[in-house]
Amino acid sequence: MTAIKAAIANLKGGVGKSTTTVMLADGLAYFYGLTVLVIDLDAQANSSQMLLTERGVQQASDQGKGTHHLLKQFMDGRATTAGPFIMPNAVSLEELRLAEEQDERKGWISALPSHPQLRLHELTLEEEWYSRSGTPTTLSDALATYFGGSFSMLDSLYDVILFDCPPHLSPLARAGLSLADVFVMPTIADAVSTWGTKQFSDWVGKFIAPDLPKRNFVLVTRFRDTRYSRQVLTELKEIYLKDRWFGPTIPESVHVLNAMDRAAPDSYNTFRGKYGGVKGDVRRLAERFSDFLSHRTGTTWQKIRD
Ligand SMILES: Nc1ncnc2c1ncn2[C@@H]1O[C@H](COP(=O)(O)OP(=O)(O)O)[C@@H](O)[C@H]1O
Ligand SMILES: [Mg+2]
């Protein structure tokens, strides 16, 4: 088994990257019974909080787990495997935990979380690297090589690895993108975000993935059903990103906000309890992503729940 690696990335912040990461993780674990690892490369640690709660993120860090601790190993020149930095249990659905307790794993989520400390390490690293006449490109390459090595043993443990990337083209975002088989680009149906997707696509196509259209899954998020939004959506699909695979359009919904606001580690009994009125949207997201992979990479997964 070799894990499918997907980077969730966009130049812009606030377009739903972290939310999409968590919805994909939940959707693939629940409907397809897959073992998913979420790697949070963003110092904002949003997907980590959505999965583990804010307190859980701090606890993880106190136990020496997280991408900031792994980055420190790189800075100190120590080769290591990522295993000890992972929180093995980032599951928020009782249904999945119960199956596991009965020794019948039917979908699971683990997390290599982030922590605000990552920002400080990143700044220190960039300052040191550039002062020794390194460049952003050599740093991104060195990080990709280091992470690639430390993640290699994870390939046999997980079906899917999702990288929640920071916005912009920071060295960590570039490293995540270059390690990925495919990348998911969440965007919003407005003019400003559309320009952002064009710039980002051009850049990724040029520097990371020359076969970009084949590897790109676009997800329009936070959709408000107005005439203006529908027009932008049509332009995105028929003109700007014509050659890409589109996921279902995810509505702007308080159900999404609720699902991401995980108050306590044991908050949700069922998938419906977590996602309420957007359960169908998350199911369609998982289904479309699975279709995308089977068409573009040949990977096929079987659904185990409806
Ligand atoms: N479908 C949605 N409906 C309502 N709010 C959403 C939706 N998707 C994302 N949000 C909210 O929008 C904000 C940005 O989302 P986030 O996933 O953190 O974006 P990014 O990771 O790209 O910065 C967050 O406050 C999030 O809760
Ligand atoms: Mg984010």
Side-chain angles (χ1 to χ4, degrees), residues 40-112:
D40 194 348
L41 295 174
D42 188 351
Q44 293 181 77
N46 292 148
S47 57
S48 305
Q49 288 165 0
M50 294 165 186
L51 289 167
L52 298 171
T53 74
E54 196 177 335
R55 185 147 170 267
V57 167
Q58 188 55 47
Q59 283 171 343
S61 179
D62 295 344
Q63 293 167 24
K65 294 175 194 294
T67 45
H68 56 308
H69 290 299
L70 187 59
L71 188 66
K72 189 72 174 55
Q73 299 290 310
F74 169 80
M75 291 160 76
D76 295 344
R78 280 197 291 267
T80 183
T81 57
F85 298 85
I86 290 173
M87 291 296 277
N89 185 348
V91 173
S92 65
L93 299 170
E94 273 314 296
E95 281 178 73
L96 301 187
R97 288 180 199 250
L98 286 175
E100 171 81 5
E101 274 167 28
Q102 287 153 12
D103 269 345
E104 228 190 330
R105 180 173 281 196
K106 284 187 175 164
W108 197 254
I109 301 175
S110 302
L112 174 46

Side-chain angles (χ1 to χ4, degrees), residues 70 117 227 241 264 274:
L70 187 59
Q117 181 78 31
R227 205 152 76 134
L241 303 172
K274 178 165 184 175

Side-chain angles (χ1 to χ4, degrees), residues 36-271:
V36 184
L37 174 66
V38 172
I39 298 183
D40 194 348
L41 295 174
D42 188 351
Q44 293 181 77
N46 292 148
S47 57
S48 305
Q49 288 165 0
M50 294 165 186
L51 289 167
L52 298 171
T53 74
E54 196 177 335
R55 185 147 170 267
V57 167
Q58 188 55 47
Q59 283 171 343
S61 179
D62 295 344
Q63 293 167 24
K65 294 175 194 294
T67 45
H68 56 308
H69 290 299
L70 187 59
L71 188 66
K72 189 72 174 55
Q73 299 290 310
F74 169 80
M75 291 160 76
D76 295 344
R78 280 197 291 267
T80 183
T81 57
F85 298 85
I86 290 173
M87 291 296 277
N89 185 348
V91 173
S92 65
L93 299 170
E94 273 314 296
E95 281 178 73
L96 301 187
R97 288 180 199 250
L98 286 175
E100 171 81 5
E101 274 167 28
Q102 287 153 12
D103 269 345
E104 228 190 330
R105 180 173 281 196
K106 284 187 175 164
W108 197 254
I109 301 175
S110 302
L112 174 46
S114 173
H115 185 274
Q117 181 78 31
L118 181 62
R119 172 99 63 231
L120 295 177
H121 287 342
E122 241 182 318
L123 284 174
T124 309
L125 170 61
E126 289 191 49
E127 249 171 50
E128 283 173 4
W129 193 271
Y130 302 149
S131 74
R132 295 196 306 254
S133 67
T135 66
T137 300
T138 59
L139 177 53
S140 310
D141 289 349
L143 284 170
T145 304
Y146 183 81
F147 286 144
S150 70
F151 297 159
S152 63
M153 47 89 70
L154 307 176
D155 267 339
S156 58
L157 300 175
Y158 297 94
D159 299 303
V160 197
I161 300 179
L162 304 174
F163 296 101
D164 184 11
C165 293
H168 308 297
L169 302 162
S170 75
L172 280 172
R174 287 173 67 174
L177 278 163
S178 50
L179 290 172
D181 304 303
V182 294
F183 84 95
V184 176
M185 181 167 63
T187 187
I188 296 177
D190 66 28
V192 176
S193 304
T194 301
W195 296 330
T197 60
K198 279 193 292 178
Q199 288 171 31
F200 189 64
S201 289
D202 287 349
W203 189 90
V204 174
K206 200 160 164 194
F207 294 104
I208 295 179
D211 57 346
L212 176 77
K214 193 169 172 285
R215 295 172 58 181
N216 192 195
F217 180 88
V218 179
L219 190 72
V220 175
T221 60
R222 305 185 59 183
F223 189 74
R224 266 171 277 160
D225 195 13
T226 62
R227 205 152 76 134
Y228 172 75
S229 304
R230 283 195 297 273
Q231 187 189 329
V232 175
L233 181 64
T234 306
E235 284 170 7
L236 269 177
K237 286 186 171 170
E238 291 176 8
I239 302 169
Y240 298 119
L241 303 172
K242 187 161 124 248
D243 43 7
R244 315 296 165 82
W245 192 282
F246 274 75
T249 301
I250 304 292
E252 172 100 20
S253 164
V254 72
H255 292 289
V256 175
L257 290 175
N258 276 332
M260 298 305 143
D261 187 4
R262 190 176 176 202
D266 55 352
S267 314
Y268 309 104
N269 288 324
T270 60
F271 198 89

Side-chain angles (χ1 to χ4, degrees), residues 15-31:
V15 292
K17 292 184 295 298
S18 300
T19 307
T20 300
T21 305
V22 173
M23 290 192 304
L24 257 183
D26 277 336
L28 294 173
Y30 184 79
F31 294 107

